[in-house]
Amino acid sequence: MSMITTADGTEIYYKDWGTGQPIVFSHGWPLTADDWDGQMLFFLQHGYRVIAHDRRGHGRSGQPATGNEMDTYADDLSALFEALDLHDVVMIGHSTGGGEVARYLGRHGTSRVAKAVLIGAVPPIMLKTDANPGGLGIEVFDGFRTALAANRAQMYKEIPFPFYGYNRDGATPSQGIMDHWWLQGMTGSIQAHYECIKAFSETDFTEDLKKIDVPCLILHGDDDQIVPYADAALLSARLVQRPTLKIYPGLPHGMCTTHPEIINPDLLAFIQS
């Protein structure tokens, strides 16, 4: 397997296929690089170099007891950029991965980056605060932590239903997609996943977003039951310097997997524009 070793000795697994302009994908919680299967194959076939890593504590990467927060996630991503000597990159992040992209750009700048894409992403901040009255209460995330600690395997059986909108009337659940979600989640560290809940819910990305000076595409489904779009995409589009915002009626949080025939062409059009 392809690995880099970060400054603190953590091994980060990555995939690196093809040639051409690099597209780097950052996955959501508690998944892995495999969550981008439908995009990596598509863009590889369209002549791009596609790269995706497993975040520390997730998938095939190392499981250290430390560093399960956004600054270190961004630094790990920077280490990958440097190890592979990446330039003119298109960064694409989904959910927690969108936070990772925003923090990377806020912390390490845009010198290696041509464009950015945030999909169903957690920025600016998910938690309800005085400054963010539309956010979700801390009790929501405390509930995640309680369920995770009590029975992670069962929790990961249940989340895919709202994640992919399979709990909606008329939806046709895919057992394969749900099994794939569960398998990815169960390969990671329960401790890292527990700590990542704080990272994706309580990190404030407002200042990071303000520093994004490259073209930034922001995509979100208006039936996203995991990251409500009104307190995420709509606010992020007001903060980045060169936004393009698109809201998809009826699409769920996991729309890259459920509706790649819609999302992939829109990504390609933005990258080629």
Side-chain angles (χ1 to χ4, degrees), residues 13 16 18 21 27 41 74 79 90 94-96 110-111 115 120 132-133 144 148 163 207 242 263:
Y13 166 84
D16 183 359
Q21 184 179 17
H27 63 78
L41 182 61
V90 177
H94 174 243
S95 195
T96 299
T110 59
S111 63
K115 296 181 179 181
N132 185 47
F144 286 171
L148 182 74
F163 194 97
E207 296 305 314
R242 301 168 66 184
I263 305 303

Side-chain angles (χ1 to χ4, degrees), residues 61-213:
S61 288
Q63 299 186 5
T66 58
N68 299 303
E69 36 72 26
M70 280 293 166
D71 284 354
T72 304
Y73 295 159
D75 292 349
D76 290 348
L77 189 53
S78 177
L80 181 66
F81 274 49
E82 292 178 7
L84 300 182
D85 193 26
L86 300 178
H87 298 274
D88 195 32
V89 174
V90 177
M91 299 185 74
I92 300 180
H94 174 243
S95 195
T96 299
E100 184 176 274
V101 168
R103 180 52 51 93
Y104 170 90
L105 294 170
R107 191 168 170 86
H108 296 281
T110 59
S111 63
R112 293 177 178 266
V113 179
K115 296 181 179 181
V117 183
L118 306 178
I119 305 175
V122 297
I125 180 173
M126 290 192 73
L127 185 68
K128 182 177 181 178
T129 65
D130 290 343
N132 185 47
L136 300 173
I138 190 65
E139 65 275 4
V140 173
F141 306 108
D142 286 343
F144 286 171
R145 282 182 277 263
T146 298
L148 182 74
N151 191 341
R152 176 171 68 142
Q154 183 58 39
M155 181 189 187
Y156 288 0
K157 289 286 188 181
E158 297 169 358
I159 290 177
F161 284 94
F163 194 97
Y164 295 117
Y166 290 153
N167 58 344
R168 297 306 198 198
D169 290 343
T172 303
S174 165
Q175 191 63 51
I177 286 175
M178 293 192 293
D179 288 349
H180 190 222
W181 199 101
W182 184 87
L183 180 63
Q184 291 177 76
M186 292 304 294
T187 60
S189 156
I190 187 171
Q191 184 235 358
H193 290 176
Y194 188 96
E195 293 186 353
C196 188
I197 294 171
K198 179 180 178 69
F200 74 64
S201 64
E202 297 183 36
T203 304
D204 189 342
F205 299 98
T206 300
E207 296 305 314
D208 302 297
L209 292 169
K210 290 178 181 179
K211 294 177 183 178
I212 300 178
D213 57 5

